Amino acid sequence: MFPTTTIKRAFNVDDIDIAISNDMINSIELWNNIMENKQPWLNKENGVKSLALAQGICEELSKTSTRELVSKVTSNEYVNKEYQKFIKNLNEDLQWGLAEGGIAFKPYIDGNQIYVDAVHADSFFPVGFKGKKITAAVFVEQIFKGKNVYTRLEYQKYENGVHTFENYAFVRKDYARGNYQNSYNDFGNQIALDTVPDWKGMEEHFEISGVDRPLFGYFRVPIINTIDKNSPLGVPCYVKAIDLIKDAEEQYSRYIWEFIGGEMAVEAISDAFEMNPYTNKPELPVGKRRLFRTYDIDTTSNNNGISITELIKVHAPQLRDTNYASGFNNILKRIEFECGLSYGDLSDPQQVEKTAEEIKSSKQRKFDTVSAIQDNMNNVLEDLAYAINVMAIGLGKSNSMECIVETDWGDSILVDSEKQRNIDLQEVNAGLMPEWKYKVKWQGMTEEEAKREVAESTEGIGYEDIDEDDNEDNVNVN
C-alpha cells in the first residue's frame, strides 16, 4: 500500500491530511494478501495451502445480495443507460468491497460517455469525513509502460455545495518489472497530465458547484471497525473469522496428510527384488512402484535369526479421516457463524445436525447480514446515480438535478418465510386471499386437494360455483 506521507508530500499543500492510521494500512495489506492467497500462515513444507475461504465468503454474500437486483434511474434515459454499465459489474465490485472493508465508486467522463471506476481499498485514501460520510479523498491510479511507472493522484473534495477536482501526474523511471511493491518513498518526477495518453484531456483543477453531496460513492461493510473505531473505512465481512480461517487451513492440511501418511505400502528390503545391473537399484513392478518402499540391510549375516519374510511388511494403518473431517467441518461452521452465513454455506450440509429452531436462527442470521449489505449499497447507488446525472448535465444529456433511482433487490433466499406466512394468513382472515391458495403455498397441497378440504370445512359452500380467482359472492341487483 502507498505510504501516506508520500501522498501528502506529492500534493505539497497543508490541507491534505490522510485520515488513515498505520493499523488500518497494515490491516488492508493483510486483507489483500488473504484475497491473493498469500496468507502469512501458509506453509508449503507442512502442506498448509490456501482454501480460498475468504473469497468464498465474499462471493456467497455478494451473489446472494445482488442475484435479483433491479436498479434503474427513471428520471433520465441517458443517465440510466450509463448507470446500467455500473450495475452490470456490481457483483464483482461488491465482492472486493466485502473483501477489503469497502470500495469507492468514482464516475468520470470519457468522450460522450460516463464510466465508473471501482477503486480498491489500497488505492483509496480518505481525507475528510463527517460522521462516517467521506467528503474528501485521494484516489491513486497507476499505469505501467515499459520500464516506467506512471502515477496519477486525484484529489476530490466536497464542501459547501462545491465539489473540487485536482489531478497530479508523476513518472518513476528505471522500473524493474516484478520488483515494484508500491512502496517507493516517492512517485518520481511530476509531469504534465498530457504526457500519458490515457490522461490526455484531463484538467489539473476544476470545480462543480450547486451540488449537495460528494460526486463519488463509498460502500462500507456493515460491521464495526474494531481496528480503528474512529476511521470512516470499513473492515472485511470475514474479519472476525481470520483466525478461524487459519485454523481451518491448518486442519485441512492434517486431513490430507492423514491420507498421504496412511497410504498403503509394502516395505521390503532391496534383496527381495531383482537388481538392475546398470543402476544397481531394485527393479520394482511396473505400474506399482508407488506401492513399494525399499530399504537396505545386511543380509549376509544371520540378522539374529530374522528371516527374509519378516523383513517384508505391509504398511496399512487405520485412517482417522473421520475425526479430522469432523474437526474441519466444525471450524467451518464457526466461520459461518462469525461471518453471518447460514450453516451449510461452507460446511457440509449433511453434517449440520441442528434443531429446527437453530436452522431457523441460522437462516435469519444470513437474512440479516445480506439485508444490512443491501441497505448500505442503497445509499451508494443513490450517490452514484446523482454523480452520473451531474456529469450528464455537463455533457448536455440532462437538464435537471433531479435524479430518481428505483431499486428492487428481490427476495431470493432472503425471504423471511415465517414473516411472509403470517402476512398471508392475515390476508386470508381479511378475505384478501382465498384459503385454498394459502394451503397450496404453505401446506404443499395441490389446488384440488386444497379446495376440497376448504369445501369440507365450509358449510353450504361449494368451490365449483366459485371462480378460482375470486372468492367474493356474486350479487345481482334488480
Side-chain angles (χ1 to χ4, degrees):
M1 192 169 179
F2 303 98
T4 56
T5 53
T6 302
I7 295 175
K8 181 176 175 63
R9 185 168 61 248
F11 283 98
N12 195 29
V13 291
D14 294 332
D15 63 342
I16 302 290
D17 189 12
I18 307 298
I20 181 171
S21 64
N22 287 331
D23 287 341
M24 281 300 295
I25 290 176
N26 294 333
S27 295
I28 291 172
E29 290 179 346
L30 171 63
W31 303 334
N32 280 331
N33 285 335
I34 290 175
M35 290 302 292
E36 294 174 0
N37 296 320
K38 299 176 182 177
Q39 298 92 309
W41 57 81
L42 299 184
N43 189 312
K44 185 177 181 180
E45 182 178 351
N46 294 334
V48 182
K49 301 177 181 179
S50 174
L51 300 179
L53 290 173
Q55 294 95 316
I57 294 166
C58 297
E59 182 178 355
E60 174 63 23
L61 288 176
S62 179
K63 285 185 175 180
T64 303
S65 299
T66 61
R67 183 173 291 121
E68 296 183 356
L69 170 63
V70 176
S71 183
K72 56 186 178 180
V73 177
T74 60
S75 52
N76 184 285
E77 184 176 346
Y78 171 82
V79 173
N80 181 59
K81 179 182 176 182
E82 305 304 285
Y83 177 74
Q84 291 307 317
K85 293 186 293 189
F86 160 75
I87 293 295
K88 182 179 179 181
N89 299 317
L90 182 57
N91 173 44
E92 292 185 11
D93 293 336
L94 182 56
Q95 288 184 44
W96 278 109
L98 293 169
E100 299 177 329
I103 189 167
F105 298 106
K106 176 175 65 72
Y108 66 95
I109 297 174
D110 185 3
N112 288 322
Q113 293 184 306
I114 301 173
Y115 298 92
V116 177
D117 266 342
V119 184
H120 292 206
D122 58 353
S123 299
F124 176 72
F125 298 84
V127 174
F129 56 95
K130 294 182 179 179
K132 296 300 180 182
K133 181 75 171 180
I134 299 174
T135 57
V138 174
F139 305 84
V140 182
E141 179 187 3
Q142 289 191 317
I143 297 176
F144 302 94
K145 289 187 177 182
K147 293 185 177 181
N148 297 337
V149 56
Y150 299 88
T151 303
R152 182 172 68 90
L153 303 181
E154 180 178 335
Y155 174 51
Q156 294 193 26
K157 176 182 178 181
Y158 170 77
E159 187 176 30
N160 299 326
V162 178
H163 194 91
T164 302
F165 298 80
E166 293 183 7
N167 284 293
Y168 300 82
F170 304 85
V171 61
R172 185 177 182 89
K173 297 187 177 182
D174 299 324
Y175 156 69
R177 183 170 295 277
N179 295 325
Y180 187 77
Q181 300 295 327
N182 293 344
S183 58
Y184 283 130
N185 292 327
D186 63 84
F187 294 119
N189 299 320
Q190 186 169 353
I191 57 175
L193 287 166
D194 288 347
T195 304
V196 183
D198 300 67
W199 302 334
K200 192 173 183 179
M202 289 186 178
E203 298 182 50
E204 292 186 356
H205 177 97
F206 67 98
E207 298 177 353
I208 298 178
S209 59
V211 295
D212 61 13
R213 70 190 78 175
L215 298 182
F216 60 84
Y218 176 72
F219 167 76
R220 187 177 191 269
V221 176
I223 298 176
I224 61 172
N225 185 342
T226 58
I227 298 170
D228 184 354
K229 64 181 180 181
N230 296 317
S231 174
L233 299 174
V235 294
C237 60
Y238 57 83
V239 67
K240 294 186 293 183
I242 289 179
D243 287 339
L244 289 169
I245 291 174
K246 174 178 178 289
D247 292 341
E249 293 178 335
E250 291 177 342
Q251 176 67 8
Y252 189 75
S253 72
R254 300 185 189 103
Y255 176 70
I256 295 299
W257 176 250
E258 182 66 15
F259 289 97
I260 297 174
E263 187 175 36
M264 182 179 177
V266 176
E267 298 176 343
I269 60 171
S270 300
D271 291 350
F273 304 91
E274 292 185 7
M275 301 299 291
N276 187 308
Y278 300 103
T279 63
N280 199 31
K281 293 182 179 180
E283 286 281 5
L284 302 179
V286 177
K288 298 181 180 180
R289 292 183 175 88
R290 179 177 176 179
L291 179 63
F292 295 93
R293 301 174 186 170
T294 62
Y295 58 92
D296 295 322
I297 189 172
D298 183 9
T299 58
T300 59
S301 63
N302 59 12
N303 291 297
N304 296 321
I306 298 176
S307 66
I308 292 295
T309 57
E310 292 180 286
L311 298 177
I312 300 176
K313 298 180 180 180
V314 176
H315 175 78
Q318 184 176 355
L319 296 180
R320 301 167 295 171
D321 58 303
T322 301
N323 294 333
Y324 281 114
S326 177
F328 175 67
N329 198 61
N330 287 335
I331 297 174
L332 292 182
K333 287 191 285 187
R334 284 294 311 278
I335 293 174
E336 289 167 337
F337 179 84
E338 295 295 347
C339 296
L341 296 172
S342 294
Y343 291 127
D345 282 341
L346 299 176
S347 60
D348 185 352
Q350 302 300 320
Q351 297 185 30
V352 179
E353 298 177 358
K354 295 291 180 181
T355 65
E357 188 62 29
E358 287 174 320
I359 293 174
K360 176 183 175 182
S361 176
S362 170
K363 292 182 177 179
Q364 183 65 45
R365 180 171 63 247
K366 187 174 182 180
F367 175 88
D368 293 339
T369 301
V370 174
S371 294
I373 292 172
Q374 292 173 341
D375 287 344
N376 279 17
M377 275 305 304
N378 275 330
N379 296 328
V380 176
L381 297 180
E382 292 278 351
D383 289 343
L384 189 61
Y386 177 87
I388 293 175
N389 183 68
V390 169
M391 295 186 177
I393 292 176
L395 290 174
K397 302 291 186 177
S398 175
N399 56 14
S400 172
M401 290 294 291
E402 182 182 36
C403 184
I404 302 174
V405 182
E406 293 182 357
T407 300
D408 180 8
W409 295 95
D411 49 25
S412 190
I413 66 169
L414 299 181
V415 172
D416 187 338
S417 57
E418 190 69 22
K419 183 177 180 180
Q420 186 61 51
R421 182 169 183 163
N422 289 333
I423 292 174
D424 288 351
L425 184 58
Q426 292 173 9
E427 291 187 353
V428 170
N429 294 334
L432 301 175
M433 173 188 283
E435 186 178 352
W436 68 265
K437 285 189 175 181
Y438 177 87
K439 290 181 175 294
V440 168
K441 182 176 181 180
W442 296 107
Q443 297 180 8
M445 295 183 179
T446 65
E447 181 177 326
E448 182 181 356
E449 291 171 340
K451 288 182 176 180
R452 185 186 308 115
E453 183 172 304
V454 173
E456 290 173 353
S457 63
T458 306
E459 296 181 0
I461 298 180
Y463 271 90
E464 65 275 6
D465 297 324
I466 300 178
D467 185 82
E468 65 177 16
D469 294 322
D470 186 5
N471 67 344
E472 295 182 358
D473 294 334
N474 292 321
V475 179
N476 294 323
V477 180
N478 295 323

